[in-house]
Structures are given as structure tokens and as C-alpha cells.
Amino acid sequence: MPLSEITQAIAKAESDAGRAPGSVKLIAVSKVQPDARVRAVLEEGHRVFGENRVQEAAGKWPGFREAFDGIELHLIGPLQSNKARQAFELFDAIHTLDRPKLAKRFADLAQERGHCPDLMIQVNTGEEDQKAGVLPADADDFIEMARGLDLPVRGLMCIPPIDEEASLHFALLAKIAARNGLEGLSMGMSADFETAISFGATHIRVGSAIFGERVAG
């Protein structure tokens, strides 16, 4: 699907939900995509991208940043604490803060470096054993802890279970965010971003609909 069709669908979903035009940020998920595909999207004018792995991003994005102005890079995959310093250098936003050890590491790096990427806390709304994220019952305490470390928590992120109705998880995430005074909601992917927008998503993560199927390697 051309990028222009995605942006038109986002605009329609914003309008249908009574949202302001431009209130949803499209993150083009470029993980495991060949450089040629990423370059083509950059040449269309898009500047906001998401990556899953620090190592892959480190090999891809410094060159693109030299060639294109205004790139905004989001980490949307799990982060090991020992990669936190590199993530600070590469990313403008990190959507996967999910445990106290990582929060404390971020706080130490922020003190040392004098800045911190925008942060989203990942919530495991489906309480899936194999998935990262804070459990919904623990989210309020975790948000309070992160704020106590002076971390720039902008919102919450979730990845609904593939076999459940996504809207239930979007509604849960929005409820947790609202009661904690958080505006950012990173939710919705290629198959369900319009639904996510209707539930208040501020960031949607779209990969295959923009780039085509991923290329392994």
C-alpha cells in the first residue's frame, strides 16, 4: 500500500473519531527491511521510523541521518540494560521501558548525559508469559516509580495478543493512561491502526503495509 494511502486512512480515522488532524504520528517500522525500501520511503518525505533492535539500527541509521534531515527514530522492541547507552545515542524515543532495572539505568544515563529520549512504558495488556511489559495491575506503581526517577514518561505502549480482539486492549491501555495523566498511546499496527486511532492512539506502528513483507536476514 503506498504511503499516501496510509496517510489518507489515518486522516479519515482521525476525522471519524473526532480527533484533530495530525494528532496521530505514523511510525514506519523499518526493521528487517532492505535499505533500498527504507530510502524510498525517506525520499517520499516520511521521517519517523521504528526499529526493534539496537544493533540493526546502529548499522542502518547513521548513514541515513547524514543523507536526510529531520529523521526521528523510535525503539519499539525490547531493550537489554547493557544496550541502554547505545539506545540513548541512537533513538529519539523508546517505547519499551518495562522493568525497574531499566528505569534506573535510564535515570543514571540521563544524569550523566543531561538528556533522555522520550519514554513510553510497555504494558503487557494480555498478560502473556512470552511478552515483555509491565502487568496492568502493576502499571500505576511502575509509572509512579519512573516519574520519581525524573524520567520523561510520555505515555504507554501495548502489543495486543494476536488471537484476541485488539480493541479491548486499546481500551485498557487508554484507561491506564488516563488515570495517570499520560497522553501518549503507542498502539495499533498495520491490521488495526484505524481501530487504535478510535481509542486514542497517538503513535501507530505500521510496517508491512508500507514496506511490504519483511525480508529475513
Side-chain angles (χ1 to χ4, degrees):
M1 186 184 296
L3 180 64
S4 59
E5 288 187 26
I6 300 283
T7 56
Q8 287 170 15
I10 292 169
K12 183 178 186 304
E14 287 173 338
S15 176
D16 290 347
R19 307 270 306 274
S23 57
V24 177
K25 182 170 287 190
L26 170 61
I27 300 172
V29 180
S30 48
K31 62 179 182 179
V32 204
Q33 292 291 350
D35 283 1
R37 290 186 183 180
V38 178
R39 181 176 292 275
V41 174
L42 280 160
E43 287 173 348
E44 284 189 72
H46 195 71
R47 290 293 182 270
V48 185
F49 292 83
E51 291 284 343
N52 259 41
R53 294 182 177 88
V54 173
Q55 190 169 352
E56 183 184 347
K60 180 188 298 182
W61 285 100
F64 281 138
R65 285 191 190 271
E66 286 184 13
F68 297 91
D69 291 334
I71 288 173
E72 185 178 307
L73 200 57
H74 295 244
L75 180 65
I76 58 172
L79 178 63
Q80 297 171 306
S81 297
N82 64 358
K83 296 280 180 64
R85 180 181 296 276
Q86 194 175 12
F88 259 54
E89 295 168 358
L90 282 167
F91 293 97
D92 301 290
I94 296 171
H95 292 226
T96 49
L97 174 57
D98 64 351
R99 58 197 186 279
K101 180 181 179 182
L102 189 58
K104 288 166 185 167
R105 180 71 176 131
F106 283 168
D108 289 344
L109 285 167
Q111 285 289 325
E112 174 192 321
R113 300 176 66 86
H115 88 280
C116 183
D118 286 343
L119 299 174
M120 299 271 198
I121 291 170
Q122 183 171 354
V123 180
N124 186 352
T125 56
E127 303 186 25
E128 298 173 275
D129 291 340
Q130 78 280 14
K131 205 170 272 183
V134 180
L135 294 176
D138 300 329
D140 293 355
D141 287 344
F142 189 85
I143 293 164
E144 183 179 4
M145 181 272 297
R147 284 172 161 164
L149 293 171
D150 290 328
L151 293 174
V153 178
R154 307 301 185 203
L156 306 177
M157 184 270 253
C158 76
I159 305 170
I162 57 173
D163 57 350
E164 293 186 18
E165 177 57 51
S167 60
L168 299 175
H169 296 271
F170 298 156
L172 174 59
L173 197 72
K175 183 177 180 180
I176 296 170
R179 71 173 179 244
N180 284 283
L182 291 170
E183 295 184 358
L185 289 170
S186 174
M187 59 189 195
M189 296 185 280
S190 292
D192 55 22
F193 68 82
E194 287 120 329
T195 301
I197 290 170
S198 74
F199 280 90
T202 58
H203 298 68
I204 60 171
R205 311 179 303 270
V206 178
S208 57
I210 295 173
F211 293 103
E213 290 305 312
R214 292 184 201 130
V215 178

